[in-house]
Amino acid sequence: MTFNEKYKDNALLIKTFNFALNIIDYTTELQDQKKFVIANQLLKSGTSIGANSKESQNAESKADFIHKLKIAIKEADETEYWLFICDAHKAYPDCKDLLNELSEILKILNKIISTSKMSAIR
């Protein structure tokens, strides 16, 4: 069974997993161009979004769940920063698709956190 098959009902996990695969492809391209520092930063933060989202699925409490997703947002924000640098510099390959993909992930993460906080108040 593949990741996408196992978690087909969890849009966040599917999107973050596929994003991580796309980040791996993009950073491999950066490494081929000898842009190692940015590639390493992007690889770490870009794949960590999904890892933290996955970890949130086994949270010990609602507060722990929210905390883990907030870490995922921090990693997404860092990833966005590095992608903005790549997008702004003419010597870097196009990353607009990654930025769009990341924007969707951030919307999902923010919505889940907002909804979780509201349900914790009730």
Side-chain angles (χ1 to χ4, degrees):
M1 177 179 288
T2 67
F3 188 93
N4 284 331
E5 290 169 342
K6 184 170 183 176
Y7 297 103
K8 66 180 184 242
D9 295 329
N10 190 319
L12 175 63
L13 293 186
I14 295 296
K15 285 188 178 295
T16 57
F17 183 81
N18 291 328
F19 181 76
L21 294 176
N22 292 335
I23 282 290
I24 291 168
D25 291 342
Y26 186 76
T27 57
T28 298
E29 189 176 348
L30 292 181
Q31 289 170 343
D32 290 346
Q33 295 178 12
K34 303 199 181 333
K35 295 171 176 25
F36 300 113
V37 174
I38 301 287
N40 289 336
Q41 293 289 348
L42 261 174
L43 185 61
K44 289 177 189 175
S45 63
T47 56
S48 183
I49 302 163
N52 283 291
S53 297
K54 175 76 171 77
E55 189 176 341
S56 76
Q57 303 303 295
N58 294 307
E60 295 175 11
S61 65
K62 182 76 75 176
D64 187 37
F65 175 75
I66 292 168
H67 175 72
K68 287 176 180 9
L69 289 182
K70 283 184 174 181
I71 294 170
I73 284 181
K74 287 181 180 185
E75 295 295 337
D77 284 343
E78 180 181 342
T79 302
E80 185 180 54
Y81 175 79
W82 295 119
L83 288 173
F84 279 145
I85 287 177
C86 294
D87 188 50
H89 199 285
K90 63 182 180 237
Y92 281 75
D94 182 62
C95 63
K96 286 185 182 15
D97 288 344
L98 287 170
L99 282 165
N100 290 334
E101 204 176 341
L102 184 57
S103 177
E104 288 180 30
I105 290 168
L106 280 164
K107 286 176 188 173
I108 293 169
L109 283 166
N110 280 306
K111 182 66 174 172
I112 292 170
I113 289 171
S114 173
T115 303
S116 296
K117 283 181 177 179
M118 292 304 290
S119 70
I121 293 172
R122 294 181 193 159

